[in-house]
Amino acid sequence: MTLRERAARTRSLPPLGGDAPGLLLAAVGVAAAIAVHAAVPAVPELTAAVVLGMAVAHLPGLRPVVRRVARPGLSTAGKRLMRLGIVLLGLKLSLDDVLGLGWATVAMVLTVVAATFAGTLWLGRRLGLPGDQSLLVATGYSICGASAIGAVSQAAGSEEEDVASSVALVTLCGTLAIAVLPLLQHPLGLGEIEFGRWVGASVHDVGQVVATAQTGGPGALREAVLVKLMRVMLLAPLVAGVAVVARRNARGAAAGGASADGADGVAKSGNRPPIVPLFVAGFLVMIVLRTTGVLPERALTLAGDAQELLLAAALFGLGSAVHLPTMVRTGGRLALLGLGSWVVVAGVSYAGVLITT
């Protein structure tokens, strides 16, 4: 039996215990994250979920369970539940509210996202980070943290370890922003509105934006959320762009496989990802639905709660895939990338806020 045949046979084996043990563990992790947030409100549920997932994966008594029995269900949580959470995220967006900020702010947000994404991707490649880590960190910093990383990883077919390490970095830096940015408001000469827009343009996750901006007052919080949601709207075109590149790469790989392996290469050509993944289409449909105003406030509240639970379960699953020894080997370079990207997104957004307000 060749090495390729042995690997294919291993992949075809049914997962030990199915998805149930891992999904149950993810549910327990979500409950624990909620309890942490209730005890320490400054710690968002999603941040707690990632950290708890990482902790469970490295506890001696639970480590074998996480790696074997619970692994299929945790992987399902990290992928499928993430997609459902991203679809429901669209219900937080209304075209009317976002466009009400004005075209100058729209241009500012586009510039921040483009500069952060391109700069982070370039720096990550110069640092020689493995796999898709550069792409995923660039996505997380420029759009909306772990949710964006999850969406782009689905389109790019990224390795689970790359996704987990990128989520851990972006979550850590976004959490630090909650403490650091409010201290810089007055030294940087930012009023309530300017501070809110700066936070919305530079902080990664929606929950982290809320936690940071509320220190500046209700006006800061409103502006921060609107600017942040404008960034989230760019998730769909970014995922579509990544899918186009992945599709092109798959086509090239299939052509190379066809020349080397004949029919085997042709068969692989059917694995190209769609240009607009189904969950991204659902995300866009939810935006349109929210914009129509047909959904009652109660339904939006329930959908928001469901989205938080789904994303918390997904992030617990991703956190459980973090392998600290592997992160240590690339930790210095990954931390340098995070710091560099943080400087870019904070600096460009600060300049944009000063120009447009």
Side-chain angles (χ1 to χ4, degrees):
M1 182 182 293
T2 65
L3 183 61
R4 179 181 296 180
E5 290 170 341
R6 188 179 295 112
R9 181 178 178 181
T10 301
R11 287 193 298 269
S12 66
L13 292 175
L16 182 62
D19 286 347
L23 292 176
L24 179 60
L25 182 58
V28 173
V30 171
I34 293 173
V36 169
H37 175 65
V40 187
V43 179
E45 291 176 11
L46 301 186
T47 300
V50 174
V51 174
L52 288 171
M54 294 173 60
V56 166
H58 292 85
L59 289 175
L62 291 175
R63 185 166 50 204
V65 176
V66 171
R67 293 185 178 179
R68 296 187 69 247
V69 178
R71 189 71 259 152
L74 291 172
S75 295
T76 296
K79 294 178 181 178
R80 296 182 182 179
L81 298 188
M82 175 69 78
R83 294 174 188 174
L84 291 174
I86 290 168
V87 170
L88 292 179
L89 181 63
L91 288 176
K92 292 183 178 290
L93 306 175
S94 170
L95 294 173
D96 296 334
D97 288 341
V98 173
L99 293 178
L101 289 171
W103 289 108
T105 303
V106 172
M108 183 268 286
V109 171
L110 289 172
T111 301
V112 169
V113 169
T116 304
F117 183 81
T120 304
L121 194 61
W122 175 85
L123 179 58
R125 289 175 175 173
R126 290 295 298 270
L127 291 172
L129 287 173
D132 288 339
Q133 287 184 6
S134 300
L135 170 65
L136 298 176
V137 172
T139 301
Y141 270 82
S142 60
I143 303 292
C144 56
S147 302
I149 290 174
V152 167
S153 68
Q154 305 291 320
S158 305
E159 295 291 334
E160 193 172 30
E161 286 190 2
D162 288 343
V163 178
S165 59
S166 301
V167 166
L169 174 69
V170 171
T171 300
L172 173 62
C173 292
T175 303
L176 291 175
I178 298 173
V180 174
L181 265 60
L183 299 177
L184 299 176
Q185 177 182 359
H186 297 298
L188 292 177
L190 297 174
E192 186 172 332
I193 301 302
E194 291 83 1
F195 177 68
R197 293 191 177 187
W198 183 49
V199 170
S202 61
V203 179
H204 318 320
D205 183 77
V206 176
Q208 294 163 349
V209 166
V210 172
T212 307
Q214 55 88 25
T215 63
L221 180 58
R222 178 184 179 279
E223 294 295 317
V225 170
L226 288 177
V227 170
K228 178 62 189 176
L229 294 182
M230 188 185 300
R231 285 170 65 194
V232 175
M233 290 184 67
L234 298 176
L235 177 63
L238 178 60
V239 172
V242 170
V244 168
V245 174
R247 193 177 171 92
R248 185 183 305 144
N249 292 341
R251 188 183 298 119
S259 63
D261 300 320
D264 181 58
V266 175
K268 290 178 182 179
S269 65
N271 293 329
R272 292 176 298 179
I275 293 178
V276 180
L278 184 60
F279 71 93
V280 174
F283 172 79
L284 294 173
V285 169
M286 293 299 105
I287 293 177
V288 174
L289 187 60
R290 171 63 187 270
T291 304
T292 63
V294 298
L295 292 178
E297 192 63 32
R298 177 61 176 166
L300 294 175
T301 301
L302 290 174
D305 293 340
Q307 179 234 323
E308 285 288 321
L309 293 175
L310 288 169
L311 290 183
L315 292 178
F316 181 87
L318 289 176
S320 71
V322 172
H323 189 235
L324 290 180
T326 301
M327 285 194 69
V328 168
R329 286 196 291 271
T330 59
R333 288 177 291 163
L334 195 61
L336 185 59
L337 176 62
L339 178 61
S341 186
W342 202 359
V343 170
V344 172
V345 69
V348 175
S349 59
Y350 176 67
V353 167
L354 293 183
I355 292 172
T356 58
T357 55

